[in-house]
Amino acid sequence: MSTDVPTRARVLVVDDHAIVRHGLTALLNAEPDLMCCGEAATVAEALDALERLQPDAAIVDITLKDENGLDVIREARARQVTCKFLVLSMHDELTHGPKAVRAGAQGYVMKEHADEDIAEALRTILRQELYLSEAVQDQLLRDVVGGPTDATPGGPESLTDREREIFRLVGQGLTSKRIAEQLGLSARTVEVHRAHIKRKLGCADAAQLVREAVRWVENKA
């Protein structure tokens, strides 16, 4: 019988409030595939921990006392650190989400949603995917081209397994809340996946996404 211990992704927690770091550490360590490997409260401490611990991912608050947490990500990218970065902040995502991505982050989670979303957000970025709300993705696209745009559409084969599963449930008429309950996810996480699906399929709005999902389900029947 194999005695191998399942690999757990090692996560660095960067926040200037000890109670937040301890809470995130407890949350991570309760997950079967995640663990906290270290904590930092300043930009300097974070950069040192990234070098010493070489975590798989890092949760970084934007506000670190009188410092900008995004400087951790910018400097890490300049040093070619391969760690994935998830920004956790109380600041408005439409204002700061695009800034975080441009700094080199792969995801953005509001602190008010942390207990529901942080684990799934980390799993998403560790799969080399972005974890961003639909609003932030749209804002990034507008920033790039100077106006509203749609991504180049693909087909359902361009979706990940999780996205395809959610697409199927949308086509069966389930709401985001019902999908979240069925898959054991938060409604917020389902909305993020729906935003990714909409972008990949080139759907103009939620109604078109539903129509495409229904058509796909009917064709598969």
Side-chain angles (χ1 to χ4, degrees), residues 156 164 167-168 172 212-221:
R164 197 174 295 113
F167 189 53
R168 174 178 59 80
Q172 292 175 355
E212 293 294 333
V214 170
R215 185 180 298 114
W216 184 69
V217 169
E218 289 176 347
N219 289 338
K220 298 282 284 187

Side-chain angles (χ1 to χ4, degrees), residues 81-101:
V81 173
T82 59
C83 173
K84 306 300 180 188
F85 289 98
L86 177 67
V87 170
L88 179 66
S89 178
M90 62 182 289
H91 298 297
D92 177 63
E93 62 180 356
L94 276 180
T95 300
H96 295 277
K99 293 180 181 178
V101 174

